[in-house]
Amino acid sequence: MESDISSVNLNEGLRTKYLGNKIIYLPITSSTMDITRDESHRGAPEGTTVLADEQTKGRGRMGRKWYTAPGQSLAVSILLRPYDLPMPQLNMLTAVAVARSIERVTGLKPSIKWPNDIILEGKKVSGILIESETVGERVTSAVVGIGINVNLNPQDFPDIAATATSLKILLQDRVSRENLLQALLRELEFLYQRLRYGDNIPRLWRSRLNTLGRNVRVLSGDTEDAGYAEGVEDDGTLLLRRPDGSLARYIAGEVTLRT
Ligand code: BTN
């Protein structure tokens, strides 16, 4: 099947200042995370973007596997050098950028499940993995990995069939990965600039969060907990009120929404 991405069209329609200035488009790779990290070590500029039609070792948060359907998923990693910017905000910013780009291209209105799963009609349509390197206190590089289920059929992947959806399933129509990637890089660059100018990114993130005011289960490392999602702090920490009245704080983990 002919790819819906061409490097030439991608560059021409991009209209960003530096995100995507260098795009590496691979038909198949292990994980775009590894290629981007290698690029970073070779001194690649901020904004370098690695895109793959297929990943043989796609990875997700919490050591999980990430499924990339050949030519149907958007699998992309972007190199940022955030130096003294707060890392938790980079997480929120990416989630907001993904949600906004999906909305812009499809009209669908994604929400965010804490901390950064992108949800449509109760199912996961996109996930975000950020791997950073630091020297002392300084974040020298952050590889922002984004996977979007664009045209894939979740039923082809038994592990995710019950919990995942795709844009094509929801729209009953294919979505151009090229248009979506362009929109994503634009949104990401715009919000990244706003973060540098001190804009309130947590506010934008909170406004899409579907987790607050719900009874949830939290999995964090080896810990499982349950309670009422009472709030989130500006650094993304989840405040969980347990049934015994005690308050737990989670900076990372995964949430399951309970009915
Ligand atoms: C998650 O929800 O667990 C995060 C999924 C992140 C998947 C993307 S696809 C592009 C990049 N390459 C990877 O191996 N992972 C990220």
Side-chain angles (χ1 to χ4, degrees):
M1 182 185 181
E2 206 176 302
S3 175
D4 60 345
I5 295 185
S6 109
S7 303
V8 177
N9 294 347
L10 193 55
N11 281 312
E12 278 174 0
L14 199 50
R15 298 196 308 275
T16 51
K17 289 201 185 68
Y18 55 96
L19 286 202
N21 270 1
K22 175 176 179 185
I23 295 184
I24 299 170
Y25 178 25
L26 304 165
I28 182 163
T29 189
S30 51
S31 162
T32 57
M33 302 303 282
D34 297 334
I35 308 294
T36 312
R37 191 196 50 225
D38 293 349
E39 281 293 309
S40 168
H41 291 168
R42 280 197 283 270
E46 183 166 57
T48 296
T49 297
V50 178
L51 170 72
D53 272 341
E54 186 176 351
Q55 298 186 115
T56 52
K57 286 196 177 134
R59 58 178 179 267
R61 294 195 311 116
M62 303 172 71
R64 295 198 179 129
K65 186 173 160 70
W66 180 263
Y67 293 94
T68 308
Q72 313 299 321
S73 303
L74 195 58
V76 62
S77 295
I78 301 146
L79 174 64
L80 296 179
R81 300 198 183 280
Y83 296 117
D84 44 10
L85 291 179
M87 279 304 287
Q89 299 215 8
L90 194 59
N91 244 303
M92 299 181 203
L93 177 157
T94 307
V96 174
V98 172
R100 280 161 65 138
S101 61
I102 290 176
E103 187 164 336
R104 204 166 281 275
V105 170
T106 66
L108 299 167
K109 294 200 181 336
S111 58
I112 298 170
K113 181 164 73 72
W114 184 89
N116 58 10
D117 283 347
I118 307 302
I119 305 293
L120 278 167
E121 297 196 1
K123 293 188 171 179
K124 181 157 166 173
V125 72
S126 166
I128 294 161
L129 173 70
I130 302 184
E131 295 175 346
S132 57
E133 292 185 352
T134 50
V135 174
E137 296 284 285
R138 213 169 177 174
V139 180
T140 48
S141 73
V143 175
V144 177
I146 300 165
I148 307 182
N149 301 335
V150 184
N151 296 316
L152 74 73
N153 184 0
Q155 301 312 322
D156 295 343
F157 303 91
D159 285 358
I160 58 167
T163 53
T165 189
S166 75
L167 300 178
K168 184 179 129 195
I169 294 285
L170 296 170
L171 293 170
Q172 292 294 299
D173 204 0
R174 294 183 65 80
V175 171
S176 153
R177 292 184 305 153
E178 193 169 272
N179 289 348
L180 189 57
L181 179 59
Q182 287 171 339
L184 174 61
L185 291 174
R186 278 198 291 268
E187 289 292 341
L188 200 59
E189 184 172 282
F190 173 71
L191 291 168
Y192 192 49
Q193 287 301 118
R194 284 182 61 175
L195 177 61
R196 288 195 179 285
Y197 289 120
D199 270 21
N200 193 335
I201 299 297
R203 184 180 56 80
L204 295 177
W205 175 73
R206 260 197 205 97
S207 70
R208 288 203 185 245
L209 209 58
N210 68 8
T211 314
L212 298 185
R214 307 274 298 265
N215 287 314
V216 300
R217 237 193 341 261
V218 181
L219 189 62
S220 180
D222 292 336
T223 312
E224 247 198 277
D225 210 345
Y228 179 76
E230 196 169 271
V232 280
E233 294 178 341
D234 274 0
D235 66 356
T237 302
L238 177 70
L239 303 177
L240 184 80
R241 184 69 65 184
R242 297 194 181 107
D244 67 3
S246 62
L247 188 68
R249 302 170 84 253
Y250 287 98
I251 51 168
E254 187 179 58
V255 140
T256 311
L257 304 175
R258 302 161 88 196
T259 43

